[in-house]
Structure formats: C-alpha cells, structure tokens
Amino acid sequence: MLLEEQRFLHEDLERLEQGISDRVAEDPRHVRDRLNRDHQISGFLNRIQDQSKRLLDIYKDTEGLRSKEIQSISTGDPFDEFYKQMTEIKEHHRRYPNQPVENLERAYKRKASGEGESATAEVDNMFTGEEAFGRFLDLTTLHEEYLNIQSKRVSYLQYLQIFDNFGPQYIAMKRAEKSTDQYFNYVGRLADYLESFLRRTRPLEDLDKFFASIDQDFERAWEEDSVPGWGPEAQPAGSAVPVTEGTGEGVWCPDCEKEFKNDNVYKSHLNGKKHIKNAKARQARGETNGTNGGAPNGHANVRGSTVQRLKERAIAEREYRIKRLASTMETVRTDSRVNVERKQGMTERERQMELDAFFAESTEAPQRNGDDDSDSDGDEKIYNPLKLPLAWDGKPIPYWLYKLHGLGVEFPCEICGNFVYMGRRAFDKHFNEARHIYGLKCLGITNTTLFREITGIEDALKLWDKIQRDKKKEKSGGENVVQMEDADGNVMPEKVYYDLQKQGLL
C-alpha cells in the first residue's frame, strides 16, 4: 500500500502548510500566546522535514516495491485488483476494530476556546516563574554556585551584569584555579542554561547554524592564541627557569605565581614550605613547573603540559560561548536587572499579587480571543475613576503609590511653555530633558546647569544678566590689577603686597 502511504504524506504536508499559514496570520498580544504559536510552528516545520524524507524515500524506490504496485494496478483486470485490496483492508480492520483513525483536518486546525482546546499551553512547563515566559533570566541557582567557587562577594544584581566576564577584576580566581572540576561544571551549566533559554525563546530561528559559527570562531581564535586570558605561557628556550609573565625582566615561579628580581632569591625560596605546597598542588593538577628534570627527554613535562592545555581549551571554549550568547541577549539581561531592582522595592505580598495577576492574565488571554467584538471591547475598558496613571501591565497603579510619589501635585514650568509636570520626580527630571534645554536656549541662555529649580522666564533672564555682569567685572578687574614685586622677585597683587608689608612679613 505504498501508493496510499504516498497519498497520505502529500495530504499531511498540505495540512501542515495550511496550519502554519493560519498561525502566521495571527498576532497574539500576550507573550505566552506568541511563544506557544512559535513553538507550534516549529513543531510543524520539523514534521514537514520528517514527512518529506519519508516521501523522498518512497519516490526513490530503492527496493522496487512502488514499481511493482503500479505494475499490478496497471496490468490485468482492474476490478480484480480493486476487490483484492478492499478485502485486505476489511481483514485489517477486522483484526484491529478499535484502531483510531487520524483526522488531519482537525489535527492541525487552530482551535477556538470553545472547541475543547486544552487550557494548558505548550510553553507553560518550559519557563520558571522568574523567567516570565522568556522575558527575564533566572540565574539565582548559578549565582549561588558562583559565590561558592570564588571569594569575591557580589549581589545578584551585580551578577546579572558581570556573569559573562571572567577576568581577574570580575572573578577572584587565578588561572590555575580555573582548571578545577567545580569551575568547569559551573561554566558548563551556565553555557547550557543560556543555550536552552535561547532555544526556548527563539524556536523559529536557525540556532544550530549560530552555534556552529560560535564553534568555528573559537577554533580560529584558539589556533591564533587570541582567546582573552588563555594565551600560552611562554617558556624561554634552553632555560630551566621560566621568566616572569609580567615585565619579563625577573624570574617567574609558576607554582607560587610570583616574580623574583634575581636568580638567587628564586633559588632560595624553592625550599620554603609555601613553595613545596604549591608545587604539590600543581603536580596534582597535571602541570609541570619546568624545574624537575626526573623524566628523560622531557616526556613527562610535554605530557603534563598537553593535558593541562586540553583542560584549559575546554574551559576557554565554554567561557567564549557564554560571552557570545550573553551578547545576543543583552536586551533580556537589561530587562532582568530592571525587574530585579523593581522587585527589591516591593514587599513579599506585592510580589505574590503581581505574580498571580500575571498568570491570571496569561490564562484569560485565549478566552478573550474567542469572544466576539462587542465582548472584547467591553473587556478593554478599565475602571479608573481617580484618573490614576497606568502601570507596565496597563492597569492603574495603587492609590498609596500614587500618594507616595506625589503624583497628584502639579509643577508648572513657564520656560517649557507652561507645561505641567505631575509629581516631584518628573519635575526634577525635566531640567535635563530636551524641552527645558530648548526653552533656555530660546532665551539666549547657553549654560543650563546653573538654572536648576528656575521655572520663570523673568527669573531666568535676571539670573543670566547677573552672571554676565559678574563675568565682565571679574575680567575687567583682573586686567586692572597692579602687580607688585618684593625684594626676592615674588610677584603679587598690590593689595596683597601692602597687607604683607603691614604685617611685617616683607
């Protein structure tokens, strides 16, 4: 029945294309519905690829079954072949009477809210509450792990800003300490999370091609030794003592990671307890310091340095990937920092109320899409008798917040064309905005920094005239000052000269 399977695959491809077309024509308002639509389209595209591969295999007909079936239909009595196939179909359904039949028209059709569509969307289990359907990053677990692997204490807000920086000014770890399994696992989990977040929030993009380009760029940078912080440690030819990694003038001890000014001081410190302890720790990590000549022909040194270089390459590859992934999600990182700052000023009850309202809005969004136009128009009307400003979710802010920020107090500004600013915060902020600066320039005032808290045109002009007069007076006074010289050749103004002379200092 290859011909029937071939027909079924063609019908399935057409239904999938129609399902994708119906979903692309939509424009969901809520981020949950938009992500759910994109993931459905991504699933349809993957199914199109799978079904197309099966269809191509049928057309290739490597075993010749399709040609035999076509030949059996085209030769002989067509009715005998028809009744033969019908008998086989009846026999199959007799053996499997309860086998479900797939309805392609209903399988890919966009269901309305009243047609039995499940209330649980595909993306409901993909994101945590902190991620808010891909709007923010959730790095709280990785932040705790970051604090455990190094001694520098940073807050979660600071961590969101520096998690993709691995320099010594950001993370209190030496290069040798990064070769530990704990740090390797940390950067691996961070890279996996960013990659997973990118796949969940951008299902329709060709991310495999983007990840492959990251790997190629890293391979090129590693071969050129241009990966930041992971360049090879240079060893001087024919010398058992490595030079310093800093200035190159002294002697460098890789075990203690310390520079010595001359060779005698370097040799004297080799017997110290601290150096012996650091050397054993470095040997345990598979490194060599170039001072032990126990292995013939340096095979042990070469092997140890090769193993260490492979470890560094694996860690550097993850750090490079984290930097590239974080650069593509700069907007999400900024939104995450703003969200954390906003939540730090809220109580636990307010955070819970906001979270409940967010999930309630996300579950009600599909139901509003299925209503008629009159119902949707009625839902969009917001009850706001006090004319309170709207928050980020489109709803009026609480009245206590309105009173706290003084948004009911009016601050008019004559320089801005009698524009009225609501609240002290907006009034203080407008002195640096383009409207106020343009109004001052229209009055001929160029130095706008001295005119803060001045809103009247007459007051601004008076202050500007006074400033101009004071400048002219200082200029003319400086030109008319009589300079005096004492016996030692010191030059000073006439007034200062006579004052010092009266005090007996000259």
Side-chain angles (χ1 to χ4, degrees):
M1 302 293 289
L2 286 178
L3 294 180
E4 173 60 24
E5 185 178 358
Q6 178 182 339
R7 184 209 62 78
F8 174 80
L9 291 175
H10 278 290
E11 181 185 0
D12 195 18
L13 291 176
E14 292 180 1
R15 297 290 185 185
L16 286 168
E17 292 177 359
Q18 185 62 39
I20 292 175
S21 176
D22 294 340
R23 284 159 178 78
V24 169
E26 298 175 356
D27 188 16
R29 294 189 302 174
H30 199 272
V31 62
R32 170 182 179 270
D33 300 331
R34 186 164 58 252
L35 274 177
N36 190 37
R37 178 202 63 181
D38 292 346
H39 278 280
Q40 287 181 358
I41 293 176
S42 177
F44 290 169
L45 292 174
N46 294 334
R47 183 172 174 82
I48 286 177
Q49 292 180 353
D50 296 338
Q51 299 291 64
S52 299
K53 290 179 182 178
R54 292 176 56 189
L55 194 58
L56 288 175
D57 293 338
I58 294 176
Y59 276 112
K60 289 179 181 178
D61 195 19
T62 55
E63 299 179 357
L65 298 178
R66 181 171 176 270
S67 301
K68 291 180 180 179
E69 188 171 344
I70 294 176
Q71 186 178 4
S72 64
I73 294 176
S74 58
T75 59
D77 190 359
F79 288 102
D80 292 342
E81 185 65 24
F82 170 76
Y83 285 116
K84 178 182 177 181
Q85 292 185 6
M86 188 175 66
T87 303
E88 292 178 356
I89 293 174
K90 288 182 178 180
E91 181 66 20
H92 175 79
H93 286 287
R94 187 183 64 80
R95 293 178 181 177
Y96 308 100
N98 297 326
Q99 183 178 7
V101 179
E102 186 177 5
N103 189 347
L104 297 181
E105 183 178 3
R106 295 181 58 86
Y108 308 127
K109 183 180 179 182
R110 178 66 173 170
K111 299 186 179 92
S113 59
E115 296 183 8
E117 185 178 15
S118 176
T120 303
E122 187 177 355
V123 298
D124 286 347
N125 298 326
M126 288 186 180
F127 300 95
T128 63
E130 184 69 21
E131 290 174 338
F133 296 113
R135 294 173 57 195
F136 313 117
L137 294 172
D138 186 7
L139 301 177
T140 52
T141 305
L142 292 167
H143 173 240
E144 295 177 358
E145 190 172 350
Y146 173 82
L147 297 178
N148 292 332
I149 64 175
Q150 54 94 39
S151 58
K152 190 174 182 180
R153 314 303 295 178
V154 295
S155 64
Y156 181 62
L157 191 62
Q158 295 172 334
Y159 178 73
L160 287 174
Q161 184 66 26
I162 65 170
F163 71 84
D164 60 332
N165 296 315
F166 303 98
Q169 64 272 27
Y170 297 103
I171 182 169
M173 294 182 68
K174 299 178 182 179
R175 177 170 174 172
E177 296 174 347
K178 289 186 177 181
S179 301
T180 59
D181 294 338
Q182 192 176 10
Y183 182 78
F184 178 79
N185 295 332
Y186 162 72
V187 292
R189 277 190 283 268
L190 181 56
D192 293 340
Y193 172 79
L194 296 178
E195 182 176 340
S196 171
F197 186 86
L198 206 61
R199 290 186 182 276
R200 286 178 291 156
T201 54
R202 303 179 185 180
L204 297 181
E205 296 185 10
D206 190 3
L207 296 178
D208 293 333
K209 182 178 179 180
F210 172 67
F211 296 145
S213 66
I214 294 178
D215 296 336
Q216 294 175 2
D217 294 342
F218 173 76
E219 292 288 345
R220 191 182 307 111
W222 185 260
E223 292 176 358
E224 298 173 356
D225 294 331
S226 59
V227 180
W230 294 100
E233 298 180 1
Q235 298 285 341
S239 175
V241 181
V243 298
T244 175
E245 294 181 346
T247 61
E249 299 175 354
V251 182
W252 177 261
C253 178
D255 295 328
C256 303
E257 295 187 357
K258 188 176 179 182
E259 177 186 0
F260 298 90
K261 293 184 178 181
N262 53 59
D263 190 37
N264 294 329
V265 179
Y266 170 77
K267 291 180 179 179
S268 64
H269 103 285
L270 294 177
N271 298 325
K273 294 181 179 179
K274 186 175 181 181
H275 173 79
I276 296 175
K277 180 181 178 181
N278 293 334
K280 290 181 180 179
R282 194 164 186 258
Q283 289 177 359
R285 294 193 301 266
E287 301 179 12
T288 58
N289 59 1
T291 59
N292 48 356
N297 299 326
H299 290 304
N301 292 345
V302 173
R303 183 181 178 185
S305 60
T306 303
V307 172
Q308 178 63 19
R309 193 61 178 162
L310 290 175
K311 290 182 180 179
E312 292 180 348
R313 186 185 184 281
I315 297 174
E317 190 272 335
R318 282 159 175 78
E319 290 184 356
Y320 186 84
R321 178 177 287 261
I322 291 170
K323 292 179 182 178
R324 289 288 298 273
L325 293 175
S327 63
T328 61
M329 296 185 290
E330 192 63 34
T331 304
V332 180
R333 176 199 284 191
T334 304
D335 295 342
S336 302
R337 294 184 70 251
V338 173
N339 183 56
V340 171
E341 289 179 346
R342 184 177 59 84
K343 284 190 173 182
Q344 286 178 351
M346 302 170 61
T347 62
E348 183 63 27
R349 180 172 174 270
E350 291 172 346
R351 295 194 195 101
Q352 187 63 35
M353 291 175 61
E354 179 183 344
L355 191 62
D356 295 342
F358 177 77
F359 282 108
E361 181 182 358
S362 64
T363 54
E364 293 174 0
Q367 300 178 1
R368 289 199 300 266
N369 294 336
D371 297 338
D372 55 1
D373 296 337
S374 61
D375 294 340
S376 61
D377 294 338
D379 292 341
E380 292 178 357
K381 295 180 181 179
I382 300 175
Y383 183 70
N384 189 12
L386 299 179
K387 306 298 181 182
L388 300 176
L390 301 181
W392 62 273
D393 57 353
K395 298 180 181 179
I397 65 174
Y399 184 71
W400 64 266
L401 188 63
Y402 174 81
K403 297 292 291 182
L404 177 65
H405 291 288
L407 299 180
V409 182
E410 298 180 355
F411 293 90
C413 181
E414 188 179 4
I415 298 176
C416 297
N418 293 323
F419 191 85
V420 179
Y421 295 92
M422 304 302 295
R424 183 70 190 183
R425 181 180 180 182
F427 176 72
D428 293 339
K429 187 179 178 182
H430 98 280
F431 288 106
N432 296 325
E433 294 178 352
R435 185 200 300 268
H436 189 81
I437 295 174
Y438 177 75
L440 291 175
K441 289 183 177 180
C442 291
L443 298 177
I445 300 173
T446 57
N447 189 359
T448 60
T449 57
L450 302 176
F451 289 82
R452 196 171 184 85
E453 300 293 336
I454 295 179
T455 58
I457 295 177
E458 185 177 355
D459 297 338
L461 291 175
K462 288 181 179 179
L463 178 58
W464 181 248
D465 292 340
K466 185 178 183 302
I467 292 174
Q468 297 299 319
R469 289 196 304 269
D470 293 343
K471 286 184 178 180
K472 291 180 181 179
K473 186 176 180 181
E474 291 178 1
K475 186 177 180 180
S476 60
E479 293 176 353
N480 297 330
V481 171
V482 178
Q483 302 291 335
M484 303 291 289
E485 184 177 357
D486 60 0
D488 297 332
N490 298 319
V491 180
M492 63 194 71
E494 181 182 12
K495 187 174 182 297
V496 176
Y497 178 81
Y498 286 122
D499 289 342
L500 296 176
Q501 195 175 37
K502 288 179 183 180
Q503 297 175 13
L505 299 176
L506 293 179

